[in-house]
Amino acid sequence: MLKKVIKYNGLEDPDTGKAVEYEQDFYFHLSEDRYAKIAATYQFLENPDAFFDRVVAENDYRVSFDFIEELVHQSYGVRGEDGKSFIQSDRVWENFRYTDAYSKLITSFFSDETSLMNFFQGVMPAKIRNEIGNALDPQAIEKAQNKARRTLGTSEV
């Protein structure tokens, strides 16, 4: 399980035009079945590194963005009060998806070369993370981000 502390803005007050800034803990975890679903969809069951290499080679930024959104969607949840459960319902997802915190998280993956790789490794089920080890190449993510920046003509993606 991965805990991310995210600073984000709430909605602006219509009278003052000011937004309240929040800092909140958010939790992410992929169960083995959710990991298998993503791995099968993006065809990296045996070798996640090959997926990132393919995205870079093909300049397929739509696949990259879809993957990031799906990874966050499948891994986001809230810790149950009992300390035993991790709740990942449609309602829980929608409550997160429509906040500035979601936007801050997604954009952080394009502005920090290692944040996506750290997130990906952090949400993996422990069993799979141990099997894969440190086989993932953070340079593949960095190459994809740099190409996306050049394509968009910006220093940020």
Side-chain angles (χ1 to χ4, degrees), residues 45-69:
L45 283 168
E46 296 296 320
N47 186 356
D49 217 20
F51 165 72
F52 295 114
D53 289 342
R54 187 176 72 243
V55 168
V56 170
E58 297 173 4
N59 293 324
D60 198 342
Y61 305 113
R62 183 73 241 163
V63 168
S64 179
F65 193 79
D66 290 348
F67 166 73
I68 291 168
E69 283 188 318

Side-chain angles (χ1 to χ4, degrees), residues 2-132:
L2 178 67
K3 177 176 101 171
K4 296 277 294 176
V5 179
I6 303 173
K7 288 184 182 181
Y8 66 100
N9 292 321
L11 296 176
E12 290 181 357
D13 182 294
D15 296 327
T16 65
K18 294 183 180 182
V20 176
E21 184 174 272
Y22 298 96
E23 184 172 325
Q24 186 176 340
D25 297 341
F26 293 93
Y27 295 92
F28 303 88
H29 170 71
L30 286 174
S31 58
E32 288 183 35
D33 62 314
R34 285 179 179 247
Y35 177 84
K37 177 182 178 184
I38 291 173
T41 300
Y42 292 94
Q43 302 172 352
F44 62 77
L45 283 168
E46 296 296 320
N47 186 356
D49 217 20
F51 165 72
F52 295 114
D53 289 342
R54 187 176 72 243
V55 168
V56 170
E58 297 173 4
N59 293 324
D60 198 342
Y61 305 113
R62 183 73 241 163
V63 168
S64 179
F65 193 79
D66 290 348
F67 166 73
I68 291 168
E69 283 188 318
E70 187 66 13
L71 179 64
V72 172
H73 180 194
Q74 291 297 324
S75 64
Y76 178 72
V78 294
R79 295 172 61 97
E81 291 180 21
D82 61 4
K84 299 176 190 175
S85 58
F86 189 62
I87 302 158
Q88 295 177 295
S89 68
D90 289 340
R91 184 173 183 170
V92 165
W93 166 246
E94 287 181 7
N95 285 339
F96 174 64
R97 169 63 181 96
Y98 297 109
T99 65
D100 187 46
Y102 170 81
S103 178
K104 298 282 187 205
L105 178 66
I106 294 294
T107 57
S108 75
F109 295 140
F110 292 101
S111 60
D112 177 3
E113 286 77 17
T114 60
S115 65
L116 178 57
M117 189 59 65
N118 291 338
F119 184 85
F120 183 53
Q121 290 177 330
V123 300
M124 274 186 200
K127 176 182 173 185
I128 294 169
R129 187 172 44 247
N130 292 336
E131 289 172 7
I132 293 173

Side-chain angles (χ1 to χ4, degrees), residues 61 110 143-154 157:
Y61 305 113
F110 292 101
K143 287 177 190 174
Q145 290 170 329
N146 287 337
K147 282 187 177 184
R149 287 185 189 104
R150 284 192 301 274
T151 299
L152 297 173
T154 179
V157 177

